[in-house]
């Protein structure tokens, strides 16, 4: 079962609405762009879910990079997964399945508001 703070984005209107909310909110958000057919993405997905369970104060948005969503991003499938950390108008991109870097980024976003 997915944590309640993990949301799947399947179309442009949902993407636009949730990203606009992230930019207008003080809640930290992680946007995870992946393709479940790629081995690196398959291996990283459970780690992302576990991090989401441990950090309920962070919103996690998941985009399956496919024909319906590919026009939303300037990434190529061989660059996936891509993680974008967002807090207000601040954003940071992490290329690849780097859990340590993601955890540091999430901690930084949470500590910034204290």
């Amino acid at each position: 079962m997915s944590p309640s703070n993990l949301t799947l984005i399947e179309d442009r209107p949902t993407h636009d609405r949730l990203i606009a909310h992230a930019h207008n909110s003080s809640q930290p958000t992680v946007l995870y762009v992946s393709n479940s057919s790629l081995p690196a993405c398959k291996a990283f997905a459970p780690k992302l879910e576990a991090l989401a369970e441990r950090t309920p104060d962070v919103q996690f948005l998941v985009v399956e990079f496919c024909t319906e969503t590919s026009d939303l991003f300037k990434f190529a499938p061989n660059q996936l997964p891509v993680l974008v950390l967002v807090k207000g108008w601040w954003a940071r991109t992490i290329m690849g399945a780097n859990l340590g870097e993601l955890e540091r980024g999430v901690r930084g976003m949470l500590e910034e508001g204290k």
Side-chain angles (χ1 to χ4, degrees):
M1 183 170 172
S2 294
S4 62
N5 60 332
L6 191 85
T7 304
L8 179 63
I9 297 175
E10 299 179 291
D11 56 47
R12 181 174 211 100
T14 303
H15 167 272
D16 292 350
R17 179 176 51 79
L18 292 174
I19 294 301
H21 175 75
H23 283 304
N24 293 309
S25 171
S26 61
Q27 181 184 26
T29 301
V30 173
L31 176 65
Y32 175 59
V33 183
S34 72
N35 183 295
S36 58
S37 68
L38 298 174
C41 296
K42 279 184 192 179
F44 192 72
K47 296 173 186 176
L48 183 80
E49 286 187 23
L51 180 60
E53 287 179 8
R54 293 192 313 270
T55 52
D57 294 337
V58 177
Q59 178 65 47
F60 289 82
L61 307 175
V62 178
V63 176
E64 178 72 9
F65 190 82
C66 60
T67 55
E68 288 81 24
T69 60
S70 64
D71 67 327
L72 299 174
F73 303 99
K74 296 179 182 177
F75 307 117
N78 65 344
Q79 295 174 306
L80 300 176
V82 174
L83 298 146
V84 182
L85 287 66
V86 179
K87 187 170 183 184
W89 286 98
W90 175 88
R92 177 177 171 214
T93 302
I94 300 171
M95 303 299 288
N98 189 332
L99 183 61
E101 194 64 25
L102 175 60
E103 289 173 330
R104 281 188 291 281
V106 166
R107 270 194 313 273
M109 287 192 299
L110 290 170
E111 291 170 0
E112 181 183 294
K114 292 181 180 179

